[in-house]
Amino acid sequence: DEGAFAWFSKAAVQGHTDALHQLALCHAKGWGTRADESAAARCYRQAADQGHVEASWAIGMAYENGAGVDQDDELAAQWYRAAAVAGHAEAQFSYGVCFSLGAGVPQDSEEAARWCRKAAEQGHTEAQFCLARLYEQGKGVPRSDAEARGWYSKAAEQGHSEARSALDAAVAASAAQSPKA
């Protein structure tokens, strides 16, 4: 809506960080203005520089994907970290993925697991699934079928179909290994 865009613009100029973040969303989605990834990235960056947690995650995504800015894994990881430390679950997961892939940070399975766990504990479904995989593979955490099943179960309860399939397979494998009565 053009009216909302105008109000967000006025409030952003007056230094309202939330309005600046909303203005970034308007630019990103084309709400009340034409979609403009560069303008969105500028607004996200300004809001993030002022400590806006959601904007910090969003500018990290922009740097990861090269949306309105040059693609830069190091800057993506830095912005993910800023939001992750503030407790943003999606950023915690994204930061964990950075460590898993060695994207913008040194590859480190333990750090990947640590940040995935933080997001998983907040109910982040994809983080729960990834943490289950890490336990299943013993990457960054001690290998544990019980922990893997527990995290697969949490993700499956939220509708994650791959987690449901993995949980079913883990339960079947466990049943096949159990001694018959």
Side-chain angles (χ1 to χ4, degrees):
D1 172 65
E2 290 178 20
F5 179 80
W7 283 107
F8 289 139
S9 296
K10 288 177 185 177
V13 168
Q14 294 176 5
H16 293 280
T17 307
D18 287 333
L20 193 53
H21 177 252
Q22 291 299 319
L23 188 61
L25 290 172
C26 289
H27 283 299
K29 306 286 185 184
W31 296 335
T33 187
R34 68 176 180 79
D36 183 341
E37 288 182 338
S38 296
R42 280 191 304 276
C43 292
Y44 283 136
R45 178 65 188 258
Q46 289 172 359
D49 284 341
Q50 295 175 34
H52 195 282
V53 175
E54 182 77 16
S56 296
W57 170 74
I59 192 63
M61 289 291 294
Y63 279 116
E64 178 183 348
N65 297 310
V69 293
D70 290 336
Q71 195 281 332
D72 188 321
D73 287 338
E74 287 183 23
L75 285 173
Q78 288 173 19
W79 285 111
Y80 287 152
R81 183 184 188 290
V85 167
H88 190 281
E90 187 71 40
Q92 291 169 336
F93 175 66
S94 296
Y95 195 46
V97 170
C98 289
F99 280 107
S100 181
L101 301 174
V105 294
Q107 191 169 17
D108 186 329
S109 295
E110 289 179 14
E111 280 296 295
R114 184 169 84 88
W115 287 103
C116 280
R117 175 181 292 283
K118 287 178 181 288
E121 288 173 346
Q122 290 191 65
H124 189 284
T125 308
E126 194 63 30
Q128 292 170 338
F129 176 72
C130 287
L131 188 58
R133 289 261 188 221
L134 293 174
Y135 273 109
E136 190 174 62
Q137 298 165 1
K139 291 179 89 174
V141 292
R143 189 181 183 307
S144 170
D145 291 338
E147 283 286 337
R149 281 192 307 273
W151 287 108
Y152 280 139
S153 179
K154 288 176 190 272
E157 287 170 8
Q158 294 188 72
H160 195 288
S161 60
E162 287 181 84
R164 168 55 52 205
S165 296
L167 180 61
D168 291 346
V171 169
S174 178
Q177 293 176 357
S178 296
K180 304 285 184 221

